[in-house]
Amino acid sequence: MGWVTLSLRKMALKQRISNLEYRLVQISQEQQSLANQSSYTQRYLGAVQNQKLSQLNAQRTNFLDSARAKYQSSDGTSMSTNDYMDLQSAMDQINLNYQFEQMNMESIFQTQQDSLLQEINTKQQQLELEQEQIQTQLSAARAEEEQLSEAVSQDIKNNAIKLV
């Protein structure tokens, strides 16, 4: 009757192996989902950043145009040296402000992207650790199942009715 007990244990191991394999499939799906989420979010942040930079550039262009218009004479005469220096100073200030805002915006988006990637990497590492643990458990369960199969076969052979 030992083979009955061994067979029951073997069935329980098969169920465990099946559950572990299913969890590995789930982990794989979660990893793919994380990769997709990361890709989509990076593309979204890139698009938003491009839109903000375009708006900032348009704003800069408008400021430059209004500064030029302010210092151009209405009668078509050339502007004085003081007016030209004032215009150049205003344009330099507008360009400096633009560069500052651009660097600030890029820094903000980089921080958001780094935060996102850190969060995703943390989740990915957790999944990889769990995957390794499950694979170790799965190997052990398969090895035990193989030993039980051999033990059942041996027990059946040993307890077989022998006709003489």
Side-chain angles (χ1 to χ4, degrees), residues 1 7 30 33 41-42 45 53 58 65 76 80-81 103-104 125 133 140-142 145 152:
M1 283 304 243
S7 294
E30 288 176 34
S33 177
T41 305
Q42 285 178 337
L45 286 175
L53 287 174
D65 289 344
S80 69
T81 306
M103 288 181 358
N104 189 26
Q125 289 171 350
Q133 291 170 346
R142 284 180 177 156
E145 179 191 23
V152 166

Side-chain angles (χ1 to χ4, degrees), residues 19-160:
N19 289 342
L20 290 171
E21 287 172 341
Y22 178 70
R23 182 62 189 138
L24 285 176
V25 169
Q26 287 178 321
I27 289 172
S28 177
Q29 290 172 341
E30 288 176 34
Q31 288 172 329
Q32 184 61 44
S33 177
L34 280 175
N36 289 342
Q37 177 187 0
S38 173
S39 176
Y40 295 146
T41 305
Q42 285 178 337
R43 280 190 261 155
Y44 172 75
L45 286 175
V48 170
Q49 183 178 2
N50 286 339
Q51 180 185 16
K52 296 289 185 183
L53 287 174
S54 293
Q55 290 172 350
L56 188 61
N57 193 31
Q59 186 180 30
R60 176 182 154 252
T61 302
N62 288 339
F63 285 149
L64 288 173
D65 289 344
S66 67
R68 282 188 199 106
K70 179 180 176 184
Y71 288 102
Q72 286 179 344
S73 62
S74 58
D75 60 2
T77 61
S78 58
M79 65 176 88
S80 69
T81 306
N82 284 343
D83 287 344
Y84 180 76
M85 295 299 282
D86 289 345
L87 173 61
Q88 192 61 42
S89 176
M91 291 174 72
D92 288 344
Q93 187 61 43
I94 290 169
N95 285 328
L96 283 174
N97 288 342
Y98 170 76
Q99 289 173 351
F100 174 76
E101 290 294 327
Q102 183 181 16
M103 288 181 358
N104 189 26
M105 188 178 305
E106 287 172 357
S107 173
I108 290 169
F109 279 101
Q110 188 63 47
T111 301
Q112 286 177 336
Q113 189 173 19
D114 290 347
S115 174
L116 165 77
L117 291 177
Q118 183 179 2
E119 181 181 325
I120 288 174
N121 285 339
T122 301
K123 288 179 184 177
Q124 183 70 23
Q125 289 171 350
Q126 290 171 346
L127 288 173
E128 287 172 1
L129 180 62
E130 183 181 358
Q131 186 177 30
E132 288 176 21
Q133 291 170 346
I134 288 175
Q135 286 173 339
T136 301
Q137 292 174 18
L138 189 57
S139 295
R142 284 180 177 156
E144 185 180 351
E145 179 191 23
E146 189 175 314
Q147 289 173 349
L148 283 175
S149 292
E150 291 172 14
V152 166
S153 296
Q154 191 63 37
D155 193 47
I156 290 173
K157 283 181 188 178
N158 292 339
N159 293 325

Side-chain angles (χ1 to χ4, degrees), residues 1-17:
M1 283 304 243
W3 65 271
V4 174
T5 305
L6 293 174
S7 294
L8 289 173
R9 175 67 182 145
K10 186 177 173 184
M11 284 179 18
L13 274 174
K14 283 186 177 189
Q15 180 64 42
R16 175 141 175 80
I17 289 170

